[in-house]
Amino acid sequence: MGFLPGCEPWHRGRAAGRDGGADEGEKYPMAPGGIQGYGHAFVFSEDQKLDWCNMLALGVEPAFIRQPKLWPTTPAKFKETLERYSAEIRGLCRRLLAHIAETLGLAPGTFGDMFGEAVQAVRMNFYPPCPRPELVLGLSAHSDGSAVTVLQQDMSCAGLQVLKDGAWVPVHPIPHALVINLGDSLEVLTNGRYKSVEHRAVTNSEQDRLSLVTFYAPAYDVELGPLPEFVTDEVPCRYRRFNHGEYSRHYVTSRLEGKKTLEFAKIDQTTTTAPEEPCSCI
Ligand SMILES: O=C(O)CCC(=O)C(=O)O
Ligand SMILES: [Fe+2]
């Protein structure tokens, strides 16, 4: 699979202003505090050190989350290409979730049935070469607020790293391979059996880098909480129940700071007194 032909030139050439024209991205600005459009997301203060990344972020499904004015009109096939790509990735996410359910001893349709009309968003991250890569990250450490994330990265250089056993491990691009990250929804639903992966992107001084990322998450009105199968005497309920839309809002209004966002849902395990009501799970 190519790197989304038809969309890449927009991002790599035009958005960076290197075709001699105006920066196309300025036509689709991400509003302050917004999450769709072109610019910097997760910026909440003027003195915040910005990540070395320009992103074009677009809600794709369901249709009501789309902001058509923020969809680039050049190249002409941008919309058609992104829609075709997104439909394929949507099918892939559904299949992945069915297999993930099976690995957990659940019926394959468990997540599909639960997620309703799943939310799908895409982000094209562009990391320009950075003269001092040791001073700034391309994208700060975080876990994704999705259930699964499908990531396509530039073949020309590595940049993605995952945190494994306390060390940052590079995820080297493999030709024709997609990277699948588990997101926070699955960590909550499995009561921590599966963990959302903490990851970040680093920059380099030599080359720019692109990544194309699809986030696939439950519909906003879905209530999440650990499934009863994963709550036992040995593994008590670690997350409270919450509405996914509520979590999404919390996620996009918080800085990227490791897995801190998930604290929103965590039950404090250090309390020794029994909760007044037993943990109510789905
Ligand atoms: O650029 C990358 O490889 C990471 C992107 C990422 O983690 C994200 O957009 O959430
Ligand atoms: Fe991510």
Side-chain angles (χ1 to χ4, degrees):
M1 180 171 36
F3 199 95
L4 196 53
C7 293
E8 179 184 348
W10 184 87
H11 210 268
R12 176 155 262 150
R14 293 167 198 258
R18 278 187 283 124
D19 59 353
D23 186 335
E24 279 282 307
E26 284 169 15
K27 292 190 192 163
Y28 314 102
M30 189 178 287
I35 46 162
Q36 292 199 42
Y38 182 76
H40 279 92
F42 308 103
V43 179
F44 304 107
S45 79
E46 290 200 352
D47 56 3
Q48 185 178 334
K49 181 152 101 176
L50 292 183
D51 285 340
W52 199 263
C53 174
N54 289 326
M55 46 179 71
L56 174 69
L58 299 170
V60 178
E61 296 291 346
F64 76 86
I65 70 165
R66 286 195 191 190
Q67 296 188 12
K69 287 203 175 88
L70 298 177
W71 286 51
T73 49
T74 51
K77 291 211 160 169
F78 182 93
K79 179 168 180 281
E80 184 190 321
T81 309
L82 185 57
E83 279 176 339
R84 270 211 338 261
Y85 177 81
S86 296
E88 290 290 332
I89 297 293
R90 196 168 179 85
L92 172 66
C93 290
R94 295 169 75 99
R95 292 196 298 279
L96 279 170
L97 284 165
H99 290 305
I100 291 169
E102 285 179 311
T103 66
L104 291 159
L106 302 170
T110 305
F111 298 122
D113 294 347
M114 185 191 299
F115 285 9
E117 209 180 340
V119 170
Q120 185 175 352
V122 71
R123 193 148 77 195
M124 300 176 192
N125 299 309
F126 176 71
Y127 307 94
C130 175
R132 300 288 303 276
E134 71 285 6
L135 294 182
V136 68
L137 284 165
L139 198 57
S140 297
H142 65 283
S143 57
D144 295 334
S146 54
V148 282
T149 299
V150 179
L151 192 150
Q152 214 183 327
Q153 54 174 342
D154 214 314
M155 279 314 301
S156 55
C157 64
L160 175 64
Q161 299 183 334
V162 295
L163 190 63
K164 185 168 187 298
D165 303 326
W168 288 107
V169 180
V171 180
H172 294 289
I174 299 171
H176 309 296
L178 299 168
V179 177
I180 310 298
N181 283 339
L182 295 194
D184 294 341
S185 309
L186 278 185
E187 176 162 335
V188 169
L189 286 165
T190 63
N191 198 28
R193 170 92 66 97
Y194 281 167
K195 302 266 189 299
S196 59
V197 65
E198 185 168 340
H199 57 286
R200 67 181 189 179
V202 294
T203 53
N204 71 82
S205 56
E206 306 293 315
Q207 278 180 292
D208 55 34
R209 176 175 174 266
L210 272 175
S211 64
L212 171 60
V213 187
T214 296
F215 304 97
Y216 186 88
Y220 290 131
D221 59 358
V222 170
E223 260 209 358
L224 296 179
L227 295 169
E229 290 85 339
F230 305 109
V231 180
T232 59
D233 288 344
E234 295 75 44
V235 189
C237 190
R238 292 177 171 147
Y239 307 91
R240 65 184 178 85
R241 283 173 71 93
F242 56 90
N243 172 272
H244 179 66
E246 208 191 323
Y247 186 64
S248 276
R249 267 192 307 282
H250 172 71
Y251 189 93
V252 299
T253 51
S254 306
R255 283 185 192 204
L256 296 181
E257 215 175 332
K259 291 187 64 167
K260 204 162 167 208
T261 325
L262 200 51
E263 281 170 22
F264 171 91
K266 276 203 175 130
I267 294 174
D268 184 0
Q269 303 288 330
T270 58
T271 42
T272 45
T273 47
E276 277 169 30
E277 279 181 49
C279 169
S280 72
C281 297
I282 288 172

